[in-house]
Amino acid sequence: MRVEARGLTFEVRTGGPEDGDPVLLLHGFPQHAGEWDDVVPALHAAGLRTYALDQRGYAPGARPAAVEAYRIPELVADAAAVLDALGVTRAHLVGHDWGAIVAWGLAAAHPERVRTLTAVSVPHPAAMGHALATDPRQKARSAYIALFRRPGKAEKVLLALHAATLRRMLSGVGDAARVARYADPMREPGALTAALNWYRAMSGADMKAVGPVDVPTTFVWSDRDIAIGRTAAEACAGHVTGDYRFVTLTGVTHWIPDEAPAPLAEAILARAGR
């Protein structure tokens, strides 16, 4: 379904019983709401109503040109406005990768809108800041961000030879068809630039502005994640003042919703299920 919010048109995939407790699902880079397709059946079976959002830059009708339009406060405001448009006062919140950063921001700034939070792969921004300041290995893991922040250069590298580098980056999601499911939309004019603008608009001030989270929270991390190391993952607990659980998936890479949908659904239901 299409949802109008903040002058933009978002795409939202809905499912589950209409009277179920609402769950807002926020995807990461460079994917889209389809990354939740293998997770939501278990949530529906448990009686939850899901709303998987194609976020700013990913939905063609929500693709402003200015880099500053992709700052974290704008992304958080989108999520809140979409909930308003859906008529949802409070929701269980689930976010992966960049979607996790949006989820952390919404839970910290508007706890009255969030029943529970399940953040996947990316910890609280302050935990990331701690790891980048103290762990040389995390700095090395995050080195790719410097490329992503270079306008034109990043697009050229990622999209060359039919997006070979982008496809290689996505190899952990599964077979070639699943890789193409995410890579092909990024080849559409303007799509990859909009997605990369999330990195280009990112600032230390916006990351530091995300405060402690007081809602019941689960952080799901995988020990083969090449982007997020254990220092950042374990530091996450220090930035949640509500009930907190840390779930580690062994032998799983960064692409948890695609690679391990069943254990992820289990973790979500342990936090958000009735």
Side-chain angles (χ1 to χ4, degrees):
M1 65 182 292
R2 291 182 178 176
V3 172
E4 304 291 331
R6 307 187 72 215
L8 304 172
T9 303
F10 295 91
E11 304 289 338
V12 180
R13 305 185 187 201
T14 64
E18 293 188 3
D19 62 345
D21 287 346
V23 181
L24 182 64
L25 298 153
L26 303 172
H27 66 82
F29 174 88
Q31 298 175 278
H32 49 65
E35 77 164 280
W36 302 107
D37 284 357
D38 291 341
V39 177
V40 294
L43 307 188
H44 299 162
L48 297 173
R49 175 74 169 171
T50 62
Y51 300 94
L53 170 65
D54 279 345
Q55 298 192 82
R56 176 177 293 232
Y58 293 85
R63 195 172 283 167
V67 170
E68 58 267 26
Y70 295 84
R71 291 180 56 211
I72 292 173
E74 297 292 338
L75 308 172
V76 170
D78 287 345
V82 167
L83 289 177
D84 289 340
L86 293 169
V88 174
T89 303
R90 297 177 69 222
H92 300 289
L93 196 56
V94 182
H96 171 241
D97 186 76
W98 260 106
I101 294 178
V102 177
W104 287 113
L106 183 60
H110 301 288
E112 74 282 357
R113 306 301 304 272
V114 181
R115 293 176 182 235
T116 68
L117 167 64
T118 303
V120 187
S121 296
V122 174
H124 189 285
M128 275 299 299
H130 165 77
L132 287 168
T134 62
D135 185 356
R137 290 172 295 182
Q138 184 59 58
K139 289 182 181 179
R141 289 173 185 266
S142 300
Y144 68 93
I145 294 175
L147 169 64
F148 285 7
R149 287 171 64 91
R150 294 181 62 183
K153 177 66 172 180
E155 287 89 339
K156 182 177 179 180
V157 170
L158 292 172
L159 294 180
L161 301 174
H162 304 287
T165 299
L166 183 63
R167 293 177 194 278
R168 188 162 54 250
M169 186 187 80
L170 284 162
S171 60
V173 304
D175 61 17
R178 189 171 287 257
V179 169
R181 184 188 194 198
Y182 302 124
D184 287 351
M186 289 291 99
R187 300 177 67 194
E188 297 172 3
L192 181 59
T193 294
L196 289 168
N197 279 344
W198 289 49
Y199 291 92
R200 293 164 184 167
M202 180 174 60
S203 72
D206 283 349
M207 298 288 272
K208 290 178 182 177
V210 179
V213 169
D214 189 41
V215 305
T217 297
T218 295
F219 176 50
V220 182
W221 175 73
S222 46
D223 65 1
R224 291 185 60 203
D225 192 321
I226 64 170
I228 307 295
R230 187 171 290 277
T231 299
E234 293 184 346
C236 191
H239 303 281
V240 180
T241 56
D243 181 67
Y244 178 72
R245 301 170 192 165
F246 177 36
V247 176
T248 300
L249 302 182
T250 303
V252 177
T253 70
H254 178 77
W255 312 101
I256 293 174
D258 289 279
E259 190 177 352
L264 176 55
E266 182 179 344
I268 295 169
L269 289 172
R271 173 58 71 190
R274 293 178 178 174

